[in-house]
Amino acid sequence: MKLNFITSLLSISMLFNVGLGYAQTKSTAPLLLLNNKTLWYKSPAKVWEEALPIGNGQFGAMIFGDPLKERLQLNEITLWSDHPQPDADRADAFQYLDTIRKTIRNKDYKRAQQLTRDHFTSPAPYDASYQTLGDLNMKFKLPDNKPVSNYRRWLDIDQATAGVSFLVDGTRYQRELFSSAADKAIIQHLTASKRGSLSLKLGLSRLERAQTKFVAPNKLILTGNAGGKLTYELQLTILNSGGTVKASGNELEVENADELLIVMTAGTSYLPDYSKLFQGKDPHALVSQQMANALAKSYPVLKQNHIKEYQKYFHRVNFELGSNKVPNLPTDQRLKNYGNGLADPSFAALFYQYGRYLLISSSRPDNLLPSNSQGLWGDGLDLPWKCDYKSNINYEMNYWPAEQSNLSEMHLPMIRLTQTLVAPGTKTAKTYYGPETPGWFYGYTTNGWAWTSPGADLPWGVFNGGSGWACQHLWEHYAFTRDKTYLKSIYPTLKGAAEFYMATMVKDEKGFLITSPSTSPENYFVTDDKKSGSVTEGATMEKSIIWDLLNNVSQAASALNEDKAFRNRVLKIRDQISPLKIGKAGQLMEWNEDWDLNTNDPHHRHVSHLFALHPGRQITALGTPELANAARKTLELRGDDGTGWSIAWKENFWARLRDGDHAHKLLSNQLRATYQTETIMADAGGTYPNLFDAHPPFQIDGNFGAVSGMTEMLLQSMETYTSANGRDAYILDLLPALPTAWPSGNITGLKARGGFEVSLKWKDGKLHSGTIKSLSGEPFKIRTSNQIKIKGANAIARKADGNFMYSMQSKKDITYSFSSM
Ligand code: FUC
């Protein structure tokens, strides 16, 4: 292939003006970044949390952008160390179930804790970790001792391209990069405004288990294994226009080129098939094929393919807050200002769209694994918490924005992994709850190898809710898309999860159904006589998850018009689940007994017992006001701080409580600039300069939780009513929690349950106008706080709670417009 760009001042300035969409006055002036869809900085990244992420779902890079020494830290979503552990269940666990339950009922919590730790955890080591693929290191030769000026580093989330640009001795150097899902490659284009200016050495490296091979003078291959049976391969090809490229030791050396194209492709032997224990073919043939395909295309074509494929998803939602004038400040400065309370509402919109960018970039529809706890990006061999998929918040929070922010297909890798857990989870269910136990189950976490056993220790390892909560996502994909073929395909998985819980719940002293043994994620209780433990019966979160699952399964059965007897049984059992309880401080009780105020850790980061408020729908601000008030009290007791994801979750809770200002306060807490990367388990949070969320350390769930929280402030659709045809239909709640900090704005393309696409515009803190497109022709209701005119509304009622309700019969593919009165 030939490079299509002739390096000249003209083509460089065209590249700046047309290709990247940045206005530029003179070729030597710094790039002026005028839009609100670009992260940009005035200096290279010194630490990983400043580097900028690109990814095509599967293959990603963190770009540091140093003029002299560039580092691209690379990841491949399936690169998991170690191996599957199908025998990690504790073989005799079931023998102890009855004793553990009786010990709990007898309130001997100390012994119950010991018995559970000894007999109901997993005896297997949990060593497998998501790992780095390696680094591309580039050492540039620039004119001696000449300073770098006019430096810019950016990530354009509208096009999913990143770049670096700077001047040395009157020559402008530019690198542009993207990770293309269309062509399955990371592409890098290097130019300079003076011919023959590109001289560098480049090599591939990895911390361990890697060999570099030369295949041709312009090609490098890095291969190895990840400690178990998984093998990986990374290929790099460099094409030059002008100058020379040759092998030099373990590196490639480029001298005096005018322009360069560097293409990288990567893969592993991972096969998403549990029955084969994930063992697929060596990736060499596939990675070589991907390289050949990419090399057959010119740079402009590769770039165009990439942008088109990316924007198909990204452009579905447009979000503007405040004025269209974006401060001409680098992103790290805007972040600092926001955290210091300076009004810049458009920064929140950038953070929102960045979250969508991150989901698209770490979870394309055909990903072999979902976005993990760092999305796609992780530097090291043993990453924080193994970078796995923890079910007690992290796995699910990653996918909260998928449906509502119109990225439904990005949900599919998570839905597929959850289905993969059915086979190992069937075994785990029987091993821990008895050979006759129906269905499938997993508790605390899963990983790239479909782990379903409990964890090795307490308080975290023995949690009952994993499969139930993960299944909420299988249901939600249907709730938003109304795709019955899909629903039919996942129904057995939902049903299996429900069957497990229906068979294993026990009766409490009053005859209500609860779980036992039971924990409230990673928290300890203190009884009134000051006994502390984590193992008890009937923790609120577990019963709330089961309630939600049974509710969803019954709706699924009725939507499919099948399984009537089963559905009736599901509903009967759902109604026997122990009700949510309000404690002596007016709080929603976390435990089966009113122990909340005894706690030694009042600000514990998990606020698990509010699952019913969000992401569940058993509590709603207007439908169950007493429980909603109790949830509010709980949030007040827990406080406004927490780890990154904890703060993000609280944004969602306050939005569901229809308190936009409090939700916004949490968002401001989250958007405090931080560099803290040491693990902190209590109040910490914050946002790194590259806008990754800080647990700390970096954990991507906070980014996704914030997208969800902001969406919940603008649109909610979790409430149902029974429509004239006897089916469940949804209430679309418009601007339920608009904060005063966002008096004007607009958002287009949000999705609502029931199959609707919603666009909203507001002014002076009030809904101004909008549209609702019906994608499935289902009836719906609209709730607004100010009166609107809408064609086709056949009923208007002012409710006691001060909102207006409009009842609609919709037709498929018709868009309904409305405006305020
Ligand atoms: C859970 C949380 C931690 C952390 C980890 C990945 O264990 O309690 O805060 O998010 O997952």
Side-chain angles (χ1 to χ4, degrees), residues 373 385 388 390 392-394 444 460 522 605-606 643 645 681 695 699 701:
S373 69
W385 292 286
D388 65 0
K390 295 236 164 24
N392 66 22
I393 180 65
N394 321 94
Y444 164 63
W460 39 273
E522 312 199 25
R605 64 195 184 287
H606 287 266
T643 56
W645 60 257
M681 301 305 288
H695 177 290
Q699 228 176 259
D701 40 18

Side-chain angles (χ1 to χ4, degrees), residues 351-352 355-356 401 404-405 702-712:
F351 192 57
Y352 182 94
R356 292 185 66 246
Q404 29 157 267
S405 81
N703 287 93
F704 296 137
V707 178
S708 168
M710 286 188 259
T711 312
E712 294 278 347

Side-chain angles (χ1 to χ4, degrees), residues 517-733:
S518 175
T519 62
S520 189
E522 312 199 25
N523 204 0
Y524 289 94
F525 56 78
V526 180
T527 63
D528 291 342
D529 53 356
K530 304 275 171 278
K531 286 187 196 124
S532 173
S534 61
V535 178
T536 175
E537 56 180 12
T540 300
M541 179 185 242
E542 294 184 351
K543 69 184 183 190
S544 305
I545 288 174
I546 300 170
W547 188 94
D548 184 79
L549 173 69
L550 299 189
N551 210 34
N552 295 340
V553 172
S554 82
Q555 269 185 270
S558 101
L560 292 172
N561 227 340
E562 62 181 53
D563 243 0
K564 212 163 172 210
F566 178 70
R567 177 171 181 261
N568 289 339
R569 194 157 70 85
V570 166
L571 287 174
K572 212 168 138 206
I573 291 182
R574 182 198 67 183
D575 294 340
Q576 289 167 18
I577 294 177
S578 153
L580 297 167
K581 296 181 198 167
I582 299 174
K584 50 181 170 271
Q587 88 286 9
L588 195 82
M589 279 161 52
E590 178 162 6
W591 312 94
N592 201 30
E593 297 190 50
D594 195 1
W595 291 330
D596 296 14
L597 299 185
N598 303 339
T599 179
N600 296 320
D601 186 9
H603 293 174
H604 189 75
R605 64 195 184 287
H606 287 266
V607 201
S608 313
H609 42 317
L610 298 196
F611 176 93
L613 175 65
H614 182 275
R617 53 193 164 113
Q618 198 178 351
I619 301 177
T620 58
L622 302 176
T624 58
E626 272 179 35
L627 290 172
N629 278 338
R632 176 182 290 268
K633 185 70 201 172
T634 289
L635 282 173
E636 285 164 5
L637 291 169
R638 275 297 211 258
D640 286 336
D641 285 305
T643 56
W645 60 257
S646 171
I647 294 176
W649 198 357
K650 289 170 188 167
E651 289 159 29
N652 289 270
F653 288 137
W654 283 106
R656 285 270 172 107
L657 290 173
R658 306 176 81 80
D659 189 334
D661 283 342
H662 211 129
H664 185 263
K665 183 172 176 230
L666 268 306
L667 178 66
S668 307
N669 273 3
Q670 186 178 9
L671 285 172
R672 279 172 309 186
T674 185
Y675 272 96
Q676 175 64 258
T677 54
E678 294 300 310
T679 304
I680 300 181
M681 301 305 288
D683 298 348
T687 300
Y688 296 116
N690 62 4
L691 303 192
F692 273 171
D693 179 74
H695 177 290
F698 164 50
Q699 228 176 259
I700 205 161
D701 40 18
N703 287 93
F704 296 137
V707 178
S708 168
M710 286 188 259
T711 312
E712 294 278 347
M713 286 149 86
L714 304 174
L715 174 68
Q716 294 176 13
S717 63
M718 65 288 176
E719 285 177 77
T720 53
Y721 66 98
T722 309
S723 70
N725 63 13
R727 296 241 182 238
D728 287 322
Y730 288 92
I731 299 172
L732 274 53
D733 212 319

Side-chain angles (χ1 to χ4, degrees), residues 184-367:
K184 304 207 180 308
I186 290 182
I187 311 288
Q188 205 180 156
H189 185 223
L190 283 73
T191 50
S193 60
K194 196 169 116 205
R195 278 177 180 276
S197 298
L198 295 171
S199 296
L200 67 144
K201 279 189 172 182
L202 75 172
L204 299 173
S205 63
R206 190 171 195 267
L207 294 164
E208 64 171 28
R209 298 174 197 277
Q211 303 96 41
T212 315
K213 289 196 243 171
F214 288 106
V215 176
N218 66 340
K219 189 161 187 162
L220 287 175
I221 296 187
L222 191 82
T223 59
N225 67 72
K229 288 198 170 138
L230 184 117
T231 58
Y232 65 85
E233 179 154 327
L234 167 63
Q235 295 197 2
L236 177 148
T237 306
I238 182 159
L239 298 178
N240 59 313
S241 164
T244 56
V245 180
K246 63 169 197 255
S248 155
N250 253 349
E251 297 175 317
L252 295 180
E253 185 168 0
V254 180
E255 279 184 334
N256 306 323
D258 303 332
E259 181 183 4
L260 294 169
L261 186 72
I262 301 173
V263 177
M264 286 187 288
T265 55
T268 76
S269 57
Y270 188 86
L271 180 78
D273 183 348
Y274 179 77
S275 72
K276 304 212 164 75
L277 289 179
F278 304 100
Q279 215 181 318
K281 288 190 286 213
D282 182 87
H284 178 72
L286 183 69
V287 177
S288 306
Q289 186 58 51
Q290 287 169 349
M291 178 59 80
N293 289 346
L295 292 177
K297 293 171 190 169
S298 69
Y299 179 68
V301 168
L302 289 166
K303 185 172 169 185
Q304 204 186 0
N305 286 352
H306 159 67
I307 293 175
K308 201 169 154 219
E309 187 272 348
Y310 169 76
Q311 290 186 338
K312 179 172 83 191
Y313 305 117
F314 186 72
H315 277 181
R316 289 175 183 169
V317 170
N318 190 51
F319 186 19
E320 282 163 22
L321 277 178
S323 79
N324 287 333
K325 257 183 80 194
V326 174
N328 182 26
L329 289 173
T331 304
D332 41 355
Q333 190 57 49
R334 280 179 84 188
L335 173 65
K336 274 187 203 143
N337 292 350
Y338 201 98
N340 289 337
L342 242 76
D344 179 6
S346 60
F347 189 67
L350 172 67
F351 192 57
Y352 182 94
Q353 289 289 39
Y354 183 57
R356 292 185 66 246
Y357 166 83
L358 292 174
L359 188 60
I360 303 170
S361 303
S362 60
S363 190
R364 286 294 207 287
D366 60 352
N367 261 39

